[in-house]
Amino acid sequence: MAANPFSTDLAYPTPEPSPPNGTILSSAQAPSITVIASSRAVLSGRLTAATIVISLATGKITSIFHSVLSSSDFPPGTPYVDHTPHILLPGLVDAHVHLNEPGRTEWEGFWTGTRAAAFGGVTTVVDMPLNAIPPTTTMAGLREKVQAASGQCWVDVGFYGGIVPGNLAELKPLVKAGVRGFKGFLIDSGVDEFPAVSSRDVAKVLTELADEPTMVMFHAEMIPPIAASVGDAVQWSLPPLSPSGPLTSYETFLTSRPPTFETYAISEVLCLAALAPRLPLHIVHLSATEAIPLLRNARARGVKITAETCFHYLSLAAEQIKDGDTRHKCCPPIRTQSNQDGLWAEMLREDDSVIQTVVSDHSPCTPNLKLLPPNLVGH
């Protein structure tokens, strides 16, 4: 089990968990602890034998023994599993997922999403403010989220708030209600109910939240200004221009979202960071390695900014994606093998890496929305 880094006294109630088998035993029947053991467990960064005692009332680890104890060392009826020779690992925290309930539960809801997380060893997820309807951009939206999650969660769940044009007055109440941070798009989000914010909007948000115990995150893509187009209009983060090239070619999609989209957006965030020097800033799903020097230089100057990247950027490469395979379409895009190598090099730095976390950006949709070609339907 993982300690939950998001566990605080929240104003919104923790969504009621779901019993694994749908049955709740009476207090007289139920044991108070469960025990797991293995000759190989990861504790304090090393591999060792261990027996771990977990409270069934709180879900927290209460005791750790650095040896494999027998089931007879515990009260009769105590659930006990020795997983030797398998390795016991801490539960993972996925700090970037989209559980699209309410409103788009057919894409993914709390029941299926958190159950899949548990199956994969993820014990905490933090839900992004879109693509549910309504989005988590208001107190009312947060309340609907929590109500929708109640009784459906197989793992710990936290919530982010959203920043959109016009919701400035909602931000501080959302902080007090316990959201774990805020996310805004600097380019079209793809859903109408979560519009992009301009640089002016971001400036207002940073000023509003400058002294709050929270963080502000950005989907960092913007269309750079060109020629005589510099001015207020370019700051409104319009959707990308129409792509040129065969629409079934992955290369066409890749060139429609070049690295300059990311570097320009991150530069814009860094220009505004001085408005809230104590406020942590974060770049979600960093894809382009060209942005790494910008972030490193900013951190060296004392700017409180971090970045995350995703499993798909670390394991997939543009050269391997076949034409028409829309399963690989995401924004920012999966880039070249050399770009992937650069992300790994940054993560493996022995000194301070700008990439502080790896997340899934789990964001499913129904197959029909992917417009899969006939040869890939059902795969």
Side-chain angles (χ1 to χ4, degrees):
M1 299 288 288
N4 182 359
F6 303 98
S7 179
T8 57
D9 294 329
L10 303 181
Y12 65 75
T14 300
E16 182 183 346
S18 306
N21 60 4
T23 302
I24 302 178
L25 298 175
S26 69
S27 58
Q29 296 173 300
S32 61
I33 60 172
T34 187
V35 179
I36 56 176
S38 177
S39 61
R40 299 194 299 165
V42 177
L43 295 175
S44 301
R46 66 189 184 94
L47 200 61
T48 181
T51 301
I52 300 172
V53 181
I54 303 163
S55 167
L56 289 175
T58 65
K60 294 182 178 181
I61 295 172
T62 59
S63 302
I64 298 176
F65 301 91
H66 293 270
S67 62
V68 177
L69 302 182
S70 167
S71 60
S72 61
D73 292 317
F74 300 94
T78 298
Y80 174 97
V81 180
D82 183 352
H83 291 280
T84 304
H86 300 297
I87 299 176
L88 295 181
L89 295 166
L92 299 175
V93 174
D94 192 345
H96 188 148
V97 304
H98 294 263
L99 300 172
N100 310 301
E101 189 173 2
R104 291 191 175 98
T105 309
E106 71 276 12
W107 291 13
E108 178 82 286
F110 287 101
W111 178 267
T112 56
T114 60
R115 195 176 187 188
F119 187 82
V122 175
T123 54
T124 299
V125 298
V126 192
D127 179 59
M128 283 291 170
L130 71 164
N131 303 303
I133 302 173
T136 316
T137 53
T138 64
M139 285 296 297
L142 176 62
R143 284 191 288 268
E144 286 200 45
K145 265 279 188 184
V146 174
Q147 183 178 4
S150 182
Q152 298 204 77
C153 296
W154 293 75
V155 300
D156 292 334
V157 177
F159 300 101
Y160 292 121
I163 53 175
V164 294
N167 79 325
L168 199 66
E170 299 278 354
L171 302 184
K172 287 184 178 179
L174 284 168
V175 172
K176 292 180 173 61
V179 299
R180 314 316 305 162
F182 294 90
K183 178 185 180 181
F185 272 72
L186 300 178
I187 201 167
D188 182 71
S189 73
V191 291
D192 293 341
E193 67 276 2
F194 203 93
V197 286
S198 69
S199 297
R200 291 178 177 178
D201 294 323
V202 173
K204 293 176 183 177
V205 167
L206 296 185
T207 302
E208 179 76 0
L209 296 176
D211 297 314
E212 294 294 318
T214 189
M215 68 185 299
V216 178
M217 306 176 292
F218 299 95
H219 179 123
E221 289 183 286
M222 292 180 77
I223 301 175
I226 55 173
S229 66
V230 176
D232 291 343
V234 79
Q235 305 297 342
W236 284 92
S237 309
L238 296 173
L241 303 175
S242 298
S244 57
L247 295 183
T248 57
S249 169
Y250 184 75
E251 182 65 24
T252 300
F253 174 65
L254 181 59
T255 55
S256 76
R257 315 284 293 221
T260 51
F261 278 31
E262 293 188 66
T263 55
Y264 179 61
I266 290 171
S267 296
E268 193 71 17
V269 170
L270 293 175
C271 286
L272 297 168
L275 295 172
R278 292 184 298 274
L279 181 66
L281 307 176
H282 185 69
I283 304 301
V284 299
H285 46 52
L286 178 71
S287 168
T289 55
E290 289 86 345
I292 290 173
L294 298 175
L295 293 167
R296 182 177 295 118
N297 292 339
R299 287 167 62 84
R301 298 194 308 271
V303 179
K304 297 183 69 173
I305 191 164
T306 55
E308 69 190 31
T309 194
C310 300
F311 303 116
H312 43 283
Y313 301 136
L314 295 170
S315 59
L316 301 173
E319 294 92 335
Q320 302 165 350
I321 299 174
K322 296 180 179 179
D323 288 354
D325 193 348
T326 54
R327 294 175 300 177
H328 297 86
K329 185 179 180 183
C330 59
C331 296
I334 296 163
R335 302 194 186 276
T336 62
Q337 182 63 57
S338 61
N339 187 85
Q340 181 194 118
D341 294 342
L343 292 174
W344 275 108
E346 177 63 24
M347 287 183 56
L348 295 175
R349 285 175 64 102
E350 294 185 3
D351 58 351
D352 186 36
S353 172
V354 304
I355 301 174
Q356 296 286 299
T357 51
V358 180
V359 299
S360 71
D361 193 10
H362 177 73
S363 185
C365 67
T366 52
N368 61 297
L369 295 178
K370 277 292 186 181
L371 300 178
L372 290 172
N375 64 307
L376 292 176
V377 174
H379 286 257

